[in-house]
Amino acid sequence: MNRRHCATAAITLVCALTLLTSPGPAFAAPEPAPTTPASVTQPNAPAPPAPPASPAPNASLEEVRLEIDALYRKAASATDAYNLAEEQTQQQSAEIVKLAQEMARGQARIKELKDRAGAAARAQYRGGGLPPEAQLALVDDPQLFLDGVGRIQQGQKATQDLITELTRTQADLATYTKDASTQWERLEANRAKKEKAKKEIKEKIAAAKKIEDRLEKEELARLRQLERQAQHKAQAAWLGSGILKGVGGTASEQGRKAVEFATRQLGKPYVWGAEGPGSYDCSGLTSQAWAAAGRGIPRTSQEQWRLLPRIDIKDLRPGDLIIYHSDASHVGMYVGNGAIIHAPRPGRNVTVAGAGSMSILGVVRPDR
């Protein structure tokens, strides 16, 4: 490899490190009516978000509430997409750094091997340009001849080993370069996904905020009351269905630690993309809680739903994660007695809520 390849590797490394400095998130607002799944089902693929529409001037507060909820739900889906792209970007950036280091080591090794080959060539030149075999034929002493044969054999093996290692190192270097290029393309693609999701998140949150800002103080208070009433109604229907009959599982040791961590975060604000310690989004809270319990889990609610072991709701126990909405865009931690701790949405704080106050998709258990 020449110096241009070295420069390319260095530029790749610098660019990768530059891309590591952007934030990332996940959340959701409650739906008015929950579902009560008899068993866990596979979520539908998230639908592309539609542009927000302003409520009609004569729209009722309930219609306004539903529209605001829908906007925050769409922002939640975009936040999960942002968080996943951010996680993948960090992984790919780290891989590029690793590959750049391997490339640098490969370049240094190739230089060392070439220097050794050059030294051997110079030694032969100093010997009059004759190969060792020809020089050996001129030796009269039998013992010297035998010793010389041994040295020639050793030298031939060393030369062959050097050529073999040089060839292998050059092939490895070519592979590292190709892999770095592939990772760079993926990183750029995820960077574009992040920017698109970030724009969508901001648009949806701004649209919801604009609607809320047009309301009078009394209307805002009434809106919050309607929100609480819808949640209480959904929770009452969920509990009334008998879904929790017989549910009384005891938390595992790790589950207990995760619940304790989540409980200590009560009152902290929701911020999309946040993973603590001062603020959280929904999956930022659950992933950090389980990390504090000594178990790493996926960063986003959709990946938690996709990758973690699923359990029937009748086996629910504290520490389990309840995934919400058909697109798995929200998550809360079950803490017992029909309740969860979760980070609801922008403008809200980490709080305790009814586990059935939103539409349940299913339950996963990180330490199963």
Side-chain angles (χ1 to χ4, degrees):
M1 278 293 171
N2 57 27
R3 294 181 179 177
R4 181 175 299 174
H5 289 115
C6 291
T8 301
I11 292 170
T12 300
L13 174 58
V14 171
C15 292
L17 294 174
T18 302
L19 287 175
L20 288 173
T21 57
S22 54
F27 55 102
E31 288 186 349
T35 59
T36 305
S39 63
V40 176
T41 57
Q42 185 68 26
N44 297 323
S54 298
N58 60 348
S60 69
L61 272 179
E62 177 61 13
E63 291 171 327
V64 171
R65 182 187 73 79
L66 293 175
E67 181 167 12
I68 290 174
D69 283 354
L71 287 168
Y72 281 125
R73 284 279 316 282
K74 291 171 183 175
S77 294
T79 297
D80 240 27
Y82 181 98
N83 282 338
L84 181 58
E86 168 69 7
E87 186 176 42
Q88 291 174 339
T89 294
Q90 291 178 359
Q91 293 171 351
Q92 287 151 4
S93 296
E95 184 63 24
I96 287 174
V97 171
K98 179 181 176 182
L99 287 168
Q101 293 170 341
E102 294 288 353
M103 289 164 67
R105 283 192 286 268
Q107 290 279 11
R109 184 58 178 159
I110 286 174
K111 182 179 183 303
E112 178 188 345
L113 293 171
K114 286 183 175 180
D115 287 346
R116 286 170 54 189
R122 288 191 295 273
Q124 181 173 330
Y125 176 78
R126 287 193 297 270
L130 292 175
E133 294 86 347
Q135 296 178 29
L136 185 61
L138 301 177
V139 174
D140 295 328
D141 188 320
Q143 185 60 47
L144 289 176
F145 179 84
L146 292 174
D147 292 344
V149 169
R151 286 195 298 273
I152 288 174
Q153 290 175 339
Q154 291 175 357
Q156 288 175 337
K157 183 178 185 304
T159 300
Q160 185 60 47
D161 290 347
L162 187 150
I163 293 172
T164 300
E165 184 175 358
L166 179 59
T167 302
R168 184 179 64 248
T169 303
Q170 288 174 327
D172 288 345
L173 191 58
T175 300
Y176 295 146
T177 303
K178 182 178 179 180
D179 289 348
S181 177
T182 300
Q183 290 295 340
W184 183 261
E185 290 173 0
R186 291 174 180 171
L187 185 139
E188 285 295 294
N190 277 306
R191 179 176 175 271
K193 289 179 184 178
K194 281 174 54 182
E195 290 304 313
K196 180 180 179 181
K198 183 177 181 179
K199 180 181 178 182
E200 185 177 341
I201 293 163
K202 289 185 173 181
E203 286 176 352
K204 297 298 183 270
I205 293 176
K209 187 71 165 56
K210 184 177 180 180
I211 295 173
E212 291 176 322
D213 288 345
R214 291 207 304 264
L215 299 175
E216 299 292 337
K217 185 177 180 180
E218 293 77 10
E219 291 176 315
L220 283 172
R222 175 63 179 155
L223 195 66
R224 291 295 296 272
Q225 184 180 3
L226 288 173
E227 182 181 304
R228 288 191 294 269
Q229 287 176 350
Q231 293 171 355
H232 292 161
K233 181 179 179 181
Q235 175 73 355
W238 187 68
L239 293 175
S241 70
I243 192 71
L244 292 184
K245 186 177 181 180
V247 171
T250 303
S252 65
E253 180 63 20
Q254 283 186 312
R256 181 185 61 78
K257 291 179 180 178
V259 170
E260 289 176 352
F261 178 92
T263 302
R264 291 195 298 271
Q265 313 315 309
L266 289 171
K268 294 183 179 180
Y270 177 102
V271 174
W272 67 271
E275 299 177 85
S279 58
Y280 296 89
D281 63 23
C282 70
S283 58
L285 176 63
T286 54
S287 61
Q288 288 302 305
W290 272 98
R295 185 147 185 112
I297 65 173
R299 168 64 177 88
T300 71
S301 58
Q302 290 177 347
E303 289 296 282
Q304 289 170 7
W305 170 244
R306 187 174 72 88
L307 298 174
L308 294 179
R310 301 179 187 181
I311 64 166
D312 195 288
I313 204 164
K314 65 181 177 61
D315 298 320
L316 196 61
R317 72 185 189 193
D320 289 341
L321 304 181
I322 301 182
I323 309 297
Y324 292 95
H325 312 307
S326 61
D327 59 358
S329 57
H330 191 69
V331 60
M333 178 176 291
Y334 187 67
V335 293
N337 297 319
I340 60 168
I341 291 177
H342 72 142
R345 66 168 175 82
R348 301 288 188 266
N349 297 330
V350 176
T351 188
V352 177
S357 61
M358 295 170 284
S359 177
I360 295 176
L361 178 62
V363 182
V364 295
R365 177 168 294 166
D367 61 340
R368 183 174 179 177

